[in-house]
Amino acid sequence: MSLITLIPLFPLIGFLINGIGFRHVPKSLAGIISSAAAFASFACALTLFLGFNGQPQIVHLFDWITVGTLNISMSFQLDQLSLLMLLIITGVGTLIHIYSIGYMSHDEGFGKFFAFLNLFLFFMLLLVMGSNYVVMFIGWEGVGLCSYLLIGFWNKNSNYGNAARKAFIMNRIGDLGFLLGIFLIINHFGSVEYSEVFSKIAEGGYSSGDKTLFYITILLFIGAMGKSAQIPLYTWLPDAMAGPTPVSALIHAATMVTAGIYMIIRSNIMYSLAPETLDIVAWVGLATALLAASIGLFQNDIKKVLAYSTVSQLGYMFMGLGVMAYSSSFFHVMTHAFFKALLFLGAGSVIHAMSDEQDIRSMGGLRKKLPITFITFLIATIAISGIPPFAGFFSKDEILAHVFEHNKLMWAFGVLGSIMTSFYMFRLLFLTFFGEFRGTEKQKHHLHESPIAMTAPLMILAVLSAIGGFFNFPHIFGGHASLAAFMEPLFEQSAIEHVAVDESLEITLMIVSVVAALLSAGVAYFIYVVKKTVPVAEGEETGLQKVIYNKYYIDELYDTLFVKPITALSNFFREVIEFLVIDLIVEGVGKLVKTLSSEVRLLQNGTTGYYIFAMVLSIAAILVWSLKSFLLG
């Protein structure tokens, strides 16, 4: 058995052990088994990465579906993209598993939780390792199932169950588009294997703007909009905060929401030949980045702020994809995995210390009681705000530089999003860790730093958030853009042309972005530290602040446009169509049969003379019919 096959096998084994015996496996073992399974997968992925020779490798397990000339196999593909995704998923995933041992230590569903975490990891690995779109789709649906299980993990709370259903249903909407895209690929190319499809495109003389490729790419993008929370299918992700905090970290940083970006990068040759789709991807990404960032400005739930920051950062990644900055977008996927996992796990440490309180209006001054959490959270905040030399600066500015080449107005709006990002993140930092404590005396007495199982992953992620930008250190600073160079073979078949940006202009763009972020952080410091402003209580918001705080009432709009009409239609079918039509037909047939049978059964009265009389009549009728036939014949 090869190392490639072992990577998804370890989490599957962990799931089976904890899933089958979650009531019997001791807590001390359940967390260790799941964490060891994740780490074993990471060790295998790292070994493969270190020994990778640059040539893609396909491991064929078995032929799965054969219909005519169509053959769909269960097989894995190892190349630059899948290797990098494997390292992110298993590396960050292992740290989240270890963190969960401390965070979930008092939960009665401890073993079940780790079983679901391992299953989530297994399906995400399947998604990025598959050598064709069908295997990707299995993993795609699998992570959707696991998100439902984990978001609604505390299922005794009906609101959490509603959030899980919302995530599941909204993802099914996007998944329908993805599935139709796969059907179109099968119909047009006769295969779902990446190597075969992409070779046919490269050798088939397809020109830019080909209509078939446009339809395929737009359908695939609809799938990405659902899984990676882009307008209009983004509202499920903020509500996904209902799950335990490690789940939020896993979904937002290392697994599910990156699937859409992975899929587009994997399909880059099709997207590069569909400029109309790329324009849609870029503008949808920009709109999502700005909308989510603006909503984050006034949120007071510590996890909700981070959730909208994820939606916004995903928008930046899609904006980069839309201008064909594929490696830059993936660079941001990687750095975002580091600092967003750190932010969510740091938020979990705060919630743990605050006795499950999530409202930042009830916090303040926590840096003294939670020094490790504070320092690591500060590093992540600087990183996501795009301030050098931390990771987010290099990846976000690289995207913005490519966007500037493509469209100056889009770049200006991108900088505006960066300004809002810096403001709401430093607002979160200052309200949580600075000033005076605003919680109850009971909460104040309970304040303490988290155990080592929780703080160790924070410290490791803090280091990665600080140095992650150097993995693709730009040429302008004397680097070699190592990540971009490593990924370059993935884009050989795509006609990617970027206008070279003058070094002085590139530095100017960086300075503008950094100064804007610093000024925004300074404004947040003045408002929330110097002036000690505390956000107003629930329900006291006014004007534009109220509109933004209520997320522009988009959930209410969806409820009015879609949920209520569908509910009304369902009630109509239940109360009218089912009762007056379906039940009437079904029950009418039943009553007719019953009535007829009750009359016919009277022929069977048990009297011998009656039976002889009926027999004589029958014989006479047969004889008359036979005689008639003989005479006429």
Side-chain angles (χ1 to χ4, degrees):
M1 186 176 293
S2 68
L3 283 178
I4 299 174
T5 311
L6 287 175
I7 292 174
L9 185 61
F10 285 123
L12 183 60
I13 292 172
F15 162 72
L16 292 174
I17 294 173
N18 282 324
I20 295 172
F22 75 93
R23 295 187 183 277
H24 308 289
V25 177
K27 281 187 176 182
S28 56
L29 283 179
I32 293 173
I33 290 170
S34 289
S35 301
F39 180 76
S41 294
F42 173 70
C44 291
L46 184 61
T47 302
L48 290 170
F49 176 78
L50 295 175
F52 185 63
N53 61 5
Q55 296 300 315
Q57 182 180 351
I58 294 179
V59 176
H60 181 88
L61 300 180
F62 55 86
D63 290 328
W64 183 23
I65 300 172
T66 301
V67 180
T69 58
L70 175 66
N71 180 57
I72 301 173
S73 65
M74 177 61 70
S75 52
F76 297 148
Q77 178 169 316
L78 193 74
D79 60 9
Q80 291 84 351
L81 182 58
S82 56
L83 268 174
L84 291 170
M85 286 297 295
L86 289 176
L87 290 174
I88 293 170
I89 294 165
T90 58
V92 176
T94 298
L95 295 175
I96 294 171
H97 276 69
I98 295 170
Y99 176 95
S100 301
I101 295 174
Y103 190 86
M104 300 294 290
S105 59
H106 301 296
D107 196 281
E108 60 183 16
F110 189 85
K112 182 171 68 173
F113 177 78
F114 275 97
F116 289 164
L117 277 189
N118 271 171
L119 186 63
F120 204 152
L121 213 60
F122 165 75
F123 278 120
M124 191 63 198
L125 291 171
L126 206 61
L127 190 156
V128 301
M129 292 179 69
S131 71
N132 60 64
Y133 284 101
V134 174
V135 177
M136 182 197 286
F137 188 72
I138 298 170
W140 193 277
E141 292 302 298
V143 295
L145 167 65
C146 292
S147 69
Y148 171 78
L149 296 173
L150 287 166
I151 293 168
F153 182 75
W154 288 322
N155 50 41
K156 293 179 181 179
N157 187 318
S158 60
N159 290 329
Y160 294 173
N162 291 336
R165 284 195 294 273
K166 183 177 181 179
F168 192 77
I169 291 169
M170 292 198 79
N171 271 275
R172 298 293 73 71
I173 296 169
D175 294 352
L176 176 61
F178 188 17
L179 192 59
L180 291 174
I182 294 175
F183 289 158
L184 200 53
I185 289 172
I186 293 172
N187 180 66
H188 192 71
F189 297 106
S191 175
V192 290
E193 291 290 328
Y194 303 141
S195 56
E196 294 180 21
V197 172
F198 301 158
S199 294
K200 288 180 179 180
I201 294 172
E203 298 166 3
Y206 288 87
S207 59
S208 179
D210 183 89
K211 290 302 179 184
T212 301
L213 294 182
F214 169 75
Y215 295 135
I216 291 173
T217 52
I218 203 69
L219 286 170
L220 295 181
F221 178 55
I222 291 172
M225 290 164 72
K227 199 65 70 184
S228 297
Q230 297 297 286
I231 291 174
L233 301 177
Y234 73 95
T235 57
W236 69 269
L237 190 55
D239 287 2
M241 298 303 96
T245 303
V247 174
S248 304
L250 196 62
I251 290 175
H252 286 248
T255 54
M256 186 168 168
V257 297
T258 62
I261 291 100
Y262 166 81
M263 183 267 291
I264 291 180
I265 296 175
R266 173 64 72 194
S267 311
N268 66 85
I269 184 171
M270 288 195 284
Y271 280 87
S272 298
L273 292 171
E276 297 94 344
T277 305
L278 287 177
D279 283 340
I280 294 171
V281 170
W283 285 106
V284 167
L286 175 61
T288 304
L290 293 176
L291 179 71
S294 66
I295 295 175
L297 293 173
F298 296 114
Q299 297 303 307
N300 297 315
D301 184 313
I302 188 171
K303 289 173 68 176
K304 277 285 179 71
V305 177
L306 298 180
Y308 281 106
S309 80
T310 298
V311 177
S312 182
Q313 295 304 305
L314 289 167
Y316 278 99
M317 297 171 204
F318 278 100
M319 185 166 58
L321 294 175
V323 299
M324 294 197 293
Y326 300 120
S327 60
S328 301
S329 292
F330 188 83
F331 184 27
H332 200 51
V333 168
M334 183 180 71
T335 59
H336 180 263
F338 299 151
F339 56 69
K340 185 50 61 68
L342 177 54
L343 286 167
F344 268 111
L345 298 186
S349 181
V350 170
I351 295 167
H352 177 78
M354 287 288 296
S355 305
D356 296 328
E357 177 62 67
Q358 295 184 197
D359 194 328
I360 57 177
R361 291 171 294 194
S362 299
M363 299 178 188
L366 298 186
R367 70 183 189 279
K368 299 172 185 176
K369 296 289 186 178
L370 287 72
I372 297 175
T373 302
F374 165 65
I375 293 170
T376 54
F377 203 93
L378 173 63
I379 292 171
T381 301
I382 296 172
I384 194 174
S385 299
I387 298 173
F390 294 162
F393 162 73
F394 294 102
S395 56
K396 187 186 290 185
D397 271 53
E398 192 172 306
I399 289 175
L400 289 175
H402 287 295
V403 170
F404 185 85
E405 301 169 14
H406 181 78
N407 188 302
K408 308 298 186 292
L409 179 63
M410 189 180 289
W411 171 83
F413 280 124
V415 173
L416 175 62
S418 294
I419 292 171
M420 290 192 285
T421 300
S422 179
F423 180 83
Y424 68 66
M425 284 309 306
F426 277 98
R427 171 183 179 268
L428 176 63
L429 179 81
F430 295 143
L431 285 172
T432 304
F433 293 100
F434 287 75
E436 299 298 323
F437 184 70
R438 298 179 295 275
T440 64
E441 283 299 320
K442 183 178 179 181
Q443 289 173 330
K444 187 175 182 180
H445 179 72
H446 185 264
L447 291 176
H448 62 281
E449 184 59 275
S450 299
I452 187 66
M454 295 170 65
T455 54
L458 295 181
M459 290 185 280
I460 295 171
L461 287 167
V463 173
L464 292 172
S465 298
I467 68 170
F470 294 94
F471 291 132
N472 200 41
F473 201 51
H475 294 288
I476 194 172
F477 294 131
H480 301 288
S482 304
L483 181 68
F486 180 73
M487 296 182 70
E488 192 172 350
L490 296 168
F491 315 120
E492 287 178 349
Q493 294 176 317
S494 298
I496 302 175
E497 293 183 10
H498 291 299
V499 179
V501 179
D502 180 72
E503 286 193 2
S504 60
L505 177 58
E506 190 172 353
I507 292 174
T508 302
L509 295 177
M510 288 181 179
I511 291 172
V512 169
S513 179
V514 172
V515 170
L518 289 172
L519 287 174
S520 185
V523 171
Y525 180 82
F526 177 76
I527 295 173
Y528 298 105
V529 178
V530 176
K531 295 188 69 175
K532 300 182 180 179
T533 303
V534 179
V536 296
E538 193 86 23
E540 295 183 8
E541 304 87 359
T542 58
L544 183 60
Q545 181 183 1
K546 182 178 181 180
V547 174
I548 296 175
Y549 179 77
N550 287 288
K551 301 160 286 187
Y552 298 100
Y553 297 100
I554 291 174
D555 278 316
E556 289 78 3
L557 178 65
Y558 286 179
D559 191 57
T560 302
L561 292 179
F562 303 110
V563 178
K564 288 180 179 177
I566 291 173
T567 302
L569 185 63
S570 300
N571 290 334
F572 171 77
F573 276 108
R574 183 190 67 184
E575 296 169 6
V576 178
I577 302 299
E578 183 173 347
F579 179 70
L580 295 179
V581 179
I582 298 175
D583 285 353
L584 194 63
I585 293 173
V586 173
E587 292 183 10
V589 171
K591 287 179 179 178
L592 178 64
V593 172
K594 184 178 180 181
T595 301
L596 290 175
S597 61
S598 65
E599 296 298 326
V600 173
R601 73 180 178 82
L602 297 177
L603 297 175
Q604 300 288 340
N605 58 13
T607 303
T608 305
Y610 176 78
Y611 291 158
I612 292 172
F613 176 71
M615 183 177 68
V616 170
L617 286 179
S618 300
I619 292 171
I622 292 171
L623 289 173
V624 170
W625 182 81
S626 299
L627 180 62
K628 179 182 178 182
S629 300
F630 175 76
L631 293 174
L632 295 175

